[in-house]
Amino acid sequence: MRLPVATGSQACSARLWAISDLHLSLTGNRLALETLPDHGADWLILAGDVAEKPEDLADAFKTLSRRFARLIWVPGNHELWTVTTPNGPLGGEAKYRQMVDIARQYGVVTPEDPYPVWEAADGRALLVPMFLGFDYSFRPDDVPLEQVLAWAWEKRLRSADETRLSPAPYPTRQDWCAARIGWTTARLEAELPPGMGTILINHYPLRADLVTLRRIPRFSPWCGTAATTDWHRRFNALACIHGHLHVPATHWRDGIRFEEVSLGYPRQWQPHGRGPDRALRLILPPPS
């Protein structure tokens, strides 16, 4: 795959890796991360669900910034969960902004920062970290929005996001998602150089047909938004990166690669010996 050439960029001539769902509140995952080797000049995408607590996120950035030349991070739902602080509960937009501030302390690229450009000998790609949220639109067409929670509960499914992910100051999670979609769309339309390929990075999959949760299919309403279904074509994606599902896989849509890059919980990766070192997915240069 040849990367389109553009001008005026920040360059990286090494490799670009991706991983998500490190869940460092869990001891097994935290200990495993300490064994990750030094990757020198390589860059790393962190596609969300690194940690719930601000101090744990800071520890992750401190550790990983010693092993990679640059980190690119997007929040998952766990980063947005309300936590207790000495000053009271911290959640919603305020929690997100604090996590962004922590990332910036370590030089980590966030969805609020200028998009970096990854450069190789044969071209460049714009790295696009995004925070978009979910709006329950990954549900069957015959299930009305007002019945989606009851529909999921028929199979005894209910996401912890219903109680732990505050949308404040927005009235609902759907409103917060709509605001993020509008802001991100406008930014991409204004900042994407003509003809330049992108790496779209989001915690949630951009398409409902990528939600491969065979054991819990009714968890899909908490997995993204249908508003991004065509973004891989609309914004000239070379690859799209997501996590959230804890089902590592490579999918292809319209000739474009979609990578689910989760590590997951210890019970999911330990039986297979698939720790962080093996869970890392090479994004660029594209695998042959």
Side-chain angles (χ1 to χ4, degrees), residues 46 50 57 61 71-75 79 99-100 103 108-111 129:
L46 293 164
V50 175
L57 189 66
F61 291 151
L71 304 177
I72 300 97
W73 166 82
V74 300
E79 274 97 348
M99 297 304 233
V100 167
V108 178
V109 180
T110 80

Side-chain angles (χ1 to χ4, degrees), residues 218-278:
R218 294 199 185 192
F219 194 76
S220 61
W222 295 280
C223 291
T225 170
T228 58
T229 299
D230 68 343
W231 278 27
H232 61 297
R233 297 191 304 271
R234 182 177 177 184
F235 297 118
N236 200 24
L238 301 171
C240 301
I241 314 303
H242 70 274
H244 189 59
L245 306 179
H246 294 201
V247 185
T250 300
H251 301 278
W252 294 86
R253 298 291 184 273
D254 302 315
I256 296 168
R257 181 167 48 114
F258 288 77
E259 296 281 7
E260 208 285 2
V261 297
S262 296
L263 173 64
Y265 302 131
R267 68 175 184 272
Q268 295 171 321
W269 63 262
Q270 283 180 340
H272 309 288
R274 191 180 175 276
D277 56 335
R278 292 184 59 193

Side-chain angles (χ1 to χ4, degrees), residues 24-135:
L24 296 179
S25 62
L26 302 173
T27 301
N29 283 19
R30 184 184 293 272
L31 293 176
L33 187 66
E34 294 292 339
T35 69
L36 194 65
D38 185 357
H39 279 67
D42 292 355
W43 289 17
L44 177 65
I45 291 167
L46 293 164
D49 278 8
V50 175
E52 292 90 3
K53 296 180 180 179
E55 58 268 30
D56 289 343
L57 189 66
D59 286 345
F61 291 151
K62 183 178 181 180
T63 296
L64 290 167
S65 62
R66 294 169 177 166
R67 292 165 168 79
F68 293 87
R70 189 136 210 214
L71 304 177
I72 300 97
W73 166 82
V74 300
N77 52 313
H78 282 244
E79 274 97 348
L80 303 177
W81 282 2
T82 300
V83 295
T84 301
T85 75
N87 298 319
L90 177 65
E93 179 81 14
K95 172 76 179 300
Y96 171 59
R97 295 295 168 179
Q98 179 163 333
M99 297 304 233
V100 167
D101 288 344
I102 290 170
R104 286 173 169 170
Q105 291 173 22
Y106 291 90
V108 178
V109 180
T110 80
E112 308 307 308
D113 297 317
Y115 298 139
V117 174
W118 188 93
E119 183 174 359
D122 58 354
R124 297 170 178 174
L126 192 71
L127 308 188
V128 182
M130 304 182 292
F131 161 40
L132 303 175
F134 65 89
D135 59 5

Side-chain angles (χ1 to χ4, degrees), residues 115-159:
Y115 298 139
V117 174
W118 188 93
E119 183 174 359
D122 58 354
R124 297 170 178 174
L126 192 71
L127 308 188
V128 182
M130 304 182 292
F131 161 40
L132 303 175
F134 65 89
D135 59 5
Y136 308 97
S137 57
F138 282 3
R139 65 182 192 275
D141 293 339
D142 60 349
V143 177
L145 176 61
E146 62 272 15
Q147 295 179 19
V148 68
L149 297 184
W151 170 79
W153 189 244
E154 288 176 0
K155 298 297 183 180
R156 295 299 183 264
L157 284 175
R158 180 68 54 89
S159 172

Side-chain angles (χ1 to χ4, degrees), residues 186-238:
R187 186 177 173 192
L188 279 166
E189 290 176 344
E191 298 181 23
L192 178 58
M196 182 177 247
T198 62
I199 304 296
L200 301 182
I201 306 160
N202 190 45
H203 179 62
Y204 302 102
L206 298 182
R207 298 172 55 94
D209 60 9
L210 299 173
V211 182
T212 54
L213 298 173
R214 294 181 178 85
R215 294 184 178 181
I216 50 170
R218 294 199 185 192
F219 194 76
S220 61
W222 295 280
C223 291
T225 170
T228 58
T229 299
D230 68 343
W231 278 27
H232 61 297
R233 297 191 304 271
R234 182 177 177 184
F235 297 118
N236 200 24
L238 301 171

